[in-house]
Amino acid sequence: MIHLAGKFGLVTGIANKRSISWAIAKALARDGARLGLTYQGERLLENVQELAAELDRPLILPCDVTSDEQIAEVYRTIEREFGGLDYLVHGTAFAPREELARPFVETSREGFRVALDVSAYSLIALSRGAAPMMAARGGGSILTLTYLGAERVFTNYNVMGVAKAALESSVRYLADGLGPQNIRVNAISAGPIKTLAASGISGFSGILQVYRDRSPLRRNIDIDEVGETGRFLLGPESSAITGEIVMVDAGYHAMGM
Ligand code: NAD
Protein backbone atom coordinates (compact mmCIF):
# COMPACT_ATOMS: atom_id res chain seq x y z
CA MET A 1 0.00 0.00 0.00
CA ILE A 2 1.43 3.38 -0.91
CA HIS A 3 -1.57 5.64 -0.33
CA LEU A 4 0.47 8.05 1.85
CA ALA A 5 2.91 8.71 -1.00
CA GLY A 6 3.69 12.43 -1.25
CA LYS A 7 2.80 12.96 2.44
CA PHE A 8 5.24 14.32 5.01
CA GLY A 9 5.29 13.51 8.72
CA LEU A 10 7.21 14.64 11.77
CA VAL A 11 7.68 12.01 14.48
CA THR A 12 8.91 12.90 17.97
CA GLY A 13 9.61 10.55 20.86
CA ILE A 14 11.85 7.88 19.35
CA ALA A 15 14.45 6.68 21.84
CA ASN A 16 15.01 3.14 20.51
CA LYS A 17 13.34 0.33 18.57
CA ARG A 18 10.89 -0.30 21.43
CA SER A 19 9.51 3.27 21.32
CA ILE A 20 5.83 3.51 20.45
CA SER A 21 6.64 6.44 18.13
CA TRP A 22 8.94 4.16 16.14
CA ALA A 23 6.11 1.66 15.60
CA ILE A 24 3.94 4.52 14.27
CA ALA A 25 6.80 5.84 12.12
CA LYS A 26 7.28 2.39 10.53
CA ALA A 27 3.55 2.12 9.75
CA LEU A 28 3.52 5.58 8.12
CA ALA A 29 6.68 4.90 6.14
CA ARG A 30 5.38 1.55 4.94
CA ASP A 31 2.43 3.38 3.39
CA GLY A 32 4.73 5.79 1.57
CA ALA A 33 5.01 8.84 3.86
CA ARG A 34 8.38 10.62 4.09
CA LEU A 35 9.39 11.37 7.66
CA GLY A 36 11.38 13.70 9.85
CA LEU A 37 12.46 12.06 13.12
CA THR A 38 13.55 14.07 16.13
CA TYR A 39 15.89 12.93 18.88
CA GLN A 40 16.38 14.29 22.37
CA GLY A 41 20.07 14.99 22.94
CA GLU A 42 23.22 13.51 21.46
CA ARG A 43 23.02 10.29 23.52
CA LEU A 44 19.98 9.18 21.47
CA LEU A 45 21.27 10.31 18.06
CA GLU A 46 23.00 7.03 17.23
CA ASN A 47 19.86 4.97 18.04
CA VAL A 48 17.70 7.18 15.84
CA GLN A 49 20.24 7.15 13.00
CA GLU A 50 20.34 3.34 13.07
CA LEU A 51 16.54 3.10 12.90
CA ALA A 52 16.30 5.83 10.27
CA ALA A 53 18.47 3.72 7.97
CA GLU A 54 15.36 1.54 7.43
CA LEU A 55 13.42 4.52 6.01
CA ASP A 56 13.44 6.36 2.69
CA ARG A 57 15.46 9.63 2.93
CA PRO A 58 14.34 10.64 6.46
CA LEU A 59 15.36 13.90 8.11
CA ILE A 60 16.98 13.49 11.52
CA LEU A 61 16.62 16.55 13.70
CA PRO A 62 17.57 17.43 17.28
CA CYS A 63 14.65 18.56 19.41
CA ASP A 64 14.34 18.94 23.13
CA VAL A 65 10.67 19.84 23.45
CA THR A 66 11.35 22.18 26.37
CA SER A 67 13.20 24.50 23.93
CA ASP A 68 11.08 26.84 21.78
CA GLU A 69 14.21 27.62 19.74
CA GLN A 70 14.82 23.94 18.90
CA ILE A 71 11.16 23.47 17.97
CA ALA A 72 11.33 26.52 15.68
CA GLU A 73 14.50 25.17 14.04
CA VAL A 74 12.81 21.79 13.41
CA TYR A 75 9.99 23.48 11.52
CA ARG A 76 12.37 25.74 9.58
CA THR A 77 14.21 22.62 8.41
CA ILE A 78 10.97 20.78 7.56
CA GLU A 79 9.77 23.78 5.55
CA ARG A 80 13.07 23.98 3.67
CA GLU A 81 13.52 20.24 3.03
CA PHE A 82 9.93 18.98 2.67
CA GLY A 83 8.15 22.23 1.77
CA GLY A 84 5.14 21.15 3.85
CA LEU A 85 3.80 18.88 6.59
CA ASP A 86 0.79 16.56 6.83
CA TYR A 87 1.29 14.55 10.03
CA LEU A 88 2.68 15.13 13.51
CA VAL A 89 3.29 12.35 16.03
CA HIS A 90 3.81 13.60 19.58
CA GLY A 91 5.45 10.84 21.61
CA THR A 92 7.38 12.70 24.29
CA ALA A 93 6.78 12.26 28.01
CA PHE A 94 8.90 12.58 31.11
CA ALA A 95 8.62 12.88 34.87
CA PRO A 96 11.55 12.79 37.29
CA ARG A 97 11.97 9.21 38.50
CA GLU A 98 11.49 10.08 42.17
CA GLU A 99 8.02 11.45 41.41
CA LEU A 100 6.98 7.98 40.20
CA ALA A 101 7.98 6.13 43.33
CA ARG A 102 6.73 8.12 46.30
CA PRO A 103 3.29 9.10 47.65
CA PHE A 104 1.52 11.47 45.24
CA VAL A 105 1.07 14.05 47.99
CA GLU A 106 4.87 14.44 48.03
CA THR A 107 4.91 15.62 44.37
CA SER A 108 7.35 18.54 44.15
CA ARG A 109 6.58 21.84 42.44
CA GLU A 110 9.53 21.32 40.10
CA GLY A 111 8.58 17.70 39.31
CA PHE A 112 5.04 18.82 38.48
CA ARG A 113 6.34 21.63 36.26
CA VAL A 114 8.73 19.38 34.32
CA ALA A 115 6.19 16.58 33.85
CA LEU A 116 3.50 18.95 32.57
CA ASP A 117 5.95 20.86 30.34
CA VAL A 118 7.51 17.85 28.60
CA SER A 119 4.42 15.62 28.52
CA ALA A 120 1.55 18.04 27.88
CA TYR A 121 2.62 21.60 26.97
CA SER A 122 4.93 20.23 24.27
CA LEU A 123 1.88 19.03 22.30
CA ILE A 124 0.61 22.61 22.16
CA ALA A 125 4.01 24.03 21.17
CA LEU A 126 4.59 21.40 18.48
CA SER A 127 1.05 21.76 17.12
CA ARG A 128 1.45 25.54 16.87
CA GLY A 129 4.56 25.10 14.73
CA ALA A 130 2.99 22.42 12.55
CA ALA A 131 -0.39 24.07 11.94
CA PRO A 132 0.57 26.73 9.35
CA MET A 133 2.30 24.16 7.12
CA MET A 134 -0.61 21.73 7.48
CA ALA A 135 -3.15 24.45 6.75
CA ALA A 136 -1.22 25.43 3.60
CA ARG A 137 -1.71 21.85 2.36
CA GLY A 138 -5.45 21.88 3.03
CA GLY A 139 -5.28 20.14 6.40
CA GLY A 140 -3.33 17.69 8.50
CA SER A 141 -3.48 15.28 11.38
CA ILE A 142 -1.85 15.29 14.82
CA LEU A 143 -1.56 12.29 17.13
CA THR A 144 -0.37 11.98 20.72
CA LEU A 145 -0.02 9.11 23.18
CA THR A 146 -1.72 8.89 26.53
CA TYR A 147 -2.58 6.40 29.25
CA LEU A 148 -5.64 5.43 31.32
CA GLY A 149 -3.79 6.84 34.34
CA ALA A 150 -5.22 10.20 33.19
CA GLU A 151 -8.66 9.07 34.34
CA ARG A 152 -8.04 6.42 36.99
CA VAL A 153 -5.47 5.94 39.71
CA PHE A 154 -2.55 3.60 39.01
CA THR A 155 -0.15 3.29 41.92
CA ASN A 156 3.07 5.23 41.23
CA TYR A 157 1.86 6.73 37.94
CA ASN A 158 1.33 9.87 40.05
CA VAL A 159 2.14 13.17 38.35
CA MET A 160 2.24 11.45 34.94
CA GLY A 161 -1.49 10.82 35.39
CA VAL A 162 -2.05 14.53 35.99
CA ALA A 163 0.10 15.36 32.94
CA LYS A 164 -1.88 12.90 30.79
CA ALA A 165 -5.16 14.47 31.97
CA ALA A 166 -3.81 17.86 30.82
CA LEU A 167 -2.66 16.26 27.56
CA GLU A 168 -6.08 14.72 26.85
CA SER A 169 -7.83 18.00 27.56
CA SER A 170 -5.33 19.74 25.24
CA VAL A 171 -6.28 17.26 22.49
CA ARG A 172 -9.89 18.46 22.69
CA TYR A 173 -9.04 22.18 22.80
CA LEU A 174 -6.53 21.83 19.95
CA ALA A 175 -9.06 19.82 17.92
CA ASP A 176 -11.54 22.69 18.29
CA GLY A 177 -8.96 25.40 17.58
CA LEU A 178 -7.42 23.74 14.53
CA GLY A 179 -10.53 22.02 13.14
CA PRO A 180 -11.53 24.98 10.94
CA GLN A 181 -8.22 24.50 9.09
CA ASN A 182 -9.07 20.82 8.61
CA ILE A 183 -6.39 19.77 11.09
CA ARG A 184 -7.43 16.83 13.27
CA VAL A 185 -6.03 16.09 16.72
CA ASN A 186 -6.40 12.69 18.42
CA ALA A 187 -4.74 10.50 21.02
CA ILE A 188 -4.17 6.80 21.46
CA SER A 189 -4.52 5.61 25.03
CA ALA A 190 -2.24 2.59 24.90
CA GLY A 191 -2.15 -0.35 27.27
CA PRO A 192 1.14 -0.90 29.10
CA ILE A 193 4.17 -1.75 26.93
CA LYS A 194 7.74 -2.32 28.12
CA THR A 195 9.61 0.74 26.86
CA LEU A 196 12.30 3.03 28.20
CA ALA A 197 9.72 5.46 29.62
CA ALA A 198 7.78 2.63 31.25
CA SER A 199 10.91 1.39 33.02
CA GLY A 200 10.77 4.56 35.16
CA ILE A 201 7.48 3.51 36.74
CA SER A 202 7.93 1.39 39.88
CA GLY A 203 5.95 -1.86 39.77
CA PHE A 204 5.40 -1.68 35.99
CA SER A 205 5.58 -5.46 35.49
CA GLY A 206 2.73 -5.81 38.01
CA ILE A 207 0.60 -3.56 35.77
CA LEU A 208 1.40 -5.75 32.75
CA GLN A 209 0.28 -8.82 34.70
CA VAL A 210 -3.02 -7.22 35.76
CA TYR A 211 -3.83 -6.42 32.11
CA ARG A 212 -2.99 -10.01 31.11
CA ASP A 213 -5.27 -11.36 33.83
CA ARG A 214 -8.21 -8.97 33.56
CA SER A 215 -8.52 -7.34 30.15
CA PRO A 216 -11.29 -8.76 27.92
CA LEU A 217 -8.68 -10.11 25.49
CA ARG A 218 -6.64 -11.58 28.40
CA ARG A 219 -3.33 -10.38 26.98
CA ASN A 220 -1.02 -7.43 26.68
CA ILE A 221 -0.94 -5.35 23.52
CA ASP A 222 1.73 -5.42 20.85
CA ILE A 223 3.53 -2.22 19.92
CA ASP A 224 2.64 -2.68 16.24
CA GLU A 225 -1.05 -2.67 17.17
CA VAL A 226 -0.49 0.91 18.37
CA GLY A 227 1.48 1.61 15.16
CA GLU A 228 -1.42 0.48 12.97
CA THR A 229 -4.02 2.46 14.94
CA GLY A 230 -1.70 5.45 14.73
CA ARG A 231 -1.49 5.17 10.96
CA PHE A 232 -5.29 4.93 10.82
CA LEU A 233 -5.81 7.99 13.02
CA LEU A 234 -3.29 10.03 11.05
CA GLY A 235 -4.37 8.90 7.63
CA PRO A 236 -7.38 9.58 5.37
CA GLU A 237 -9.53 6.67 6.66
CA SER A 238 -10.23 8.58 9.89
CA SER A 239 -11.12 11.88 8.20
CA ALA A 240 -14.15 12.56 10.47
CA ILE A 241 -12.44 11.65 13.75
CA THR A 242 -10.99 14.45 15.88
CA GLY A 243 -10.77 15.35 19.56
CA GLU A 244 -10.87 11.62 20.32
CA ILE A 245 -8.98 9.39 22.76
CA VAL A 246 -8.85 5.90 21.22
CA MET A 247 -8.25 3.03 23.64
CA VAL A 248 -5.76 0.45 22.34
CA ASP A 249 -5.56 -1.61 25.50
CA ALA A 250 -7.05 -5.08 24.85
CA GLY A 251 -10.27 -3.65 26.30
CA TYR A 252 -8.97 -3.16 29.85
CA HIS A 253 -10.69 0.23 30.23
CA ALA A 254 -14.10 -1.41 29.86
CA MET A 255 -13.75 -3.52 33.00
CA GLY A 256 -15.02 -2.71 36.47
CA MET A 257 -13.30 -5.37 38.55
P1 NAD B 1 10.03 5.96 25.11
O1 NAD B 1 10.93 6.13 26.29
O2 NAD B 1 10.49 5.10 24.01
O3 NAD B 1 9.58 7.36 24.53
C1 NAD B 1 9.52 8.53 25.30
C2 NAD B 1 10.23 9.59 24.49
O4 NAD B 1 10.14 10.88 25.11
C3 NAD B 1 11.73 9.31 24.33
O5 NAD B 1 12.05 9.26 22.96
C4 NAD B 1 12.40 10.51 24.96
O6 NAD B 1 13.60 10.87 24.31
C5 NAD B 1 11.32 11.56 24.77
N1 NAD B 1 11.52 12.72 25.63
C6 NAD B 1 11.52 12.80 26.99
N2 NAD B 1 11.81 14.07 27.37
C7 NAD B 1 11.99 14.79 26.23
C8 NAD B 1 12.34 16.14 25.95
N3 NAD B 1 12.55 17.04 26.93
N4 NAD B 1 12.44 16.53 24.64
C9 NAD B 1 12.23 15.66 23.63
N5 NAD B 1 11.91 14.36 23.84
C10 NAD B 1 11.81 13.94 25.12
O7 NAD B 1 8.67 5.37 25.74
P2 NAD B 1 7.22 5.14 25.12
O8 NAD B 1 6.54 4.25 26.08
O9 NAD B 1 7.31 4.77 23.70
O10 NAD B 1 6.55 6.58 25.26
C11 NAD B 1 5.94 7.27 24.19
C12 NAD B 1 4.61 7.85 24.67
O11 NAD B 1 3.70 6.79 24.91
C13 NAD B 1 4.70 8.64 25.97
O12 NAD B 1 3.84 9.75 25.89
C14 NAD B 1 4.15 7.65 26.97
O13 NAD B 1 3.62 8.28 28.12
C15 NAD B 1 3.07 7.01 26.15
N6 NAD B 1 2.52 5.76 26.65
C16 NAD B 1 3.34 4.74 26.96
C17 NAD B 1 2.79 3.56 27.46
C18 NAD B 1 3.69 2.41 27.84
O14 NAD B 1 3.24 1.54 28.58
N7 NAD B 1 4.90 2.35 27.38
C19 NAD B 1 1.40 3.43 27.61
C20 NAD B 1 0.60 4.50 27.27
C21 NAD B 1 1.16 5.66 26.78
Side-chain angles (χ1 to χ4, degrees):
M1 234 195 289
I2 51 157
H3 70 295
L4 302 186
K7 300 288 189 186
F8 298 106
L10 175 65
V11 181
T12 68
I14 299 177
N16 55 43
K17 66 175 193 300
R18 282 180 294 280
S19 296
I20 296 174
S21 287
W22 174 238
I24 299 170
K26 277 189 297 180
L28 287 174
R30 187 202 62 213
D31 279 5
R34 227 187 123 191
L35 300 179
L37 312 180
T38 67
Y39 63 93
Q40 176 207 9
E42 293 303 309
R43 76 198 159 83
L44 293 177
L45 173 58
E46 207 176 309
N47 287 356
V48 174
Q49 276 173 331
E50 244 170 62
L51 295 170
E54 297 177 27
L55 307 180
D56 176 30
R57 297 167 296 142
L59 296 178
I60 303 174
L61 310 162
C63 185
D64 186 313
V65 295
T66 61
S67 162
D68 288 328
E69 183 39 48
Q70 286 191 28
I71 291 174
E73 184 56 30
V74 164
Y75 286 119
R76 277 194 290 271
T77 310
I78 295 266
E79 176 95 72
R80 194 177 60 240
E81 300 292 325
F82 287 168
L85 190 66
D86 303 284
Y87 309 129
L88 167 65
V89 177
H90 172 265
T92 64
F94 177 76
R97 190 173 275 263
E98 62 273 18
E99 304 292 353
L100 305 177
R102 60 186 176 197
F104 177 68
V105 73
E106 303 296 337
T107 302
S108 70
R109 192 181 296 275
E110 181 59 8
F112 187 96
R113 188 194 65 73
V114 169
L116 272 283
D117 187 12
V118 175
S119 316
Y121 181 74
S122 58
L123 175 68
I124 303 169
L126 284 164
S127 298
R128 187 164 59 243
M133 272 189 279
M134 290 178 170
R137 284 167 72 83
S141 188
I142 297 172
L143 177 70
T144 186
L145 294 154
T146 185
Y147 182 58
L148 188 58
E151 293 172 42
R152 317 239 184 110
V153 173
F154 287 80
T155 305
N156 291 328
Y157 200 61
N158 292 2
V159 72
M160 268 319 290
V162 178
K164 292 303 192 191
L167 180 73
E168 293 183 11
S169 183
S170 302
V171 164
R172 292 183 282 271
Y173 278 94
L174 286 167
D176 177 50
L178 300 177
Q181 297 166 82
N182 194 32
I183 298 169
R184 300 184 293 111
V185 187
N186 292 294
I188 290 175
S189 183
I193 300 173
K194 256 199 164 102
T195 61
L196 192 61
S199 70
I201 300 158
S202 330
F204 186 77
S205 40
I207 299 181
L208 283 171
Q209 187 59 50
V210 169
Y211 273 69
R212 265 197 299 275
D213 291 343
R214 302 206 195 140
S215 65
L217 296 179
R218 304 290 193 279
R219 65 171 175 86
N220 287 125
I221 63 161
D222 184 89
I223 201 159
D224 291 321
E225 294 176 307
V226 183
E228 287 308 312
T229 308
R231 192 201 48 75
F232 163 74
L233 283 173
L234 288 162
E237 300 93 336
S238 61
S239 54
I241 300 177
T242 193
E244 187 60 282
I245 314 294
V246 175
M247 298 287 174
V248 181
D249 67 347
Y252 182 81
H253 69 281
M255 302 302 288
M257 281 180 72

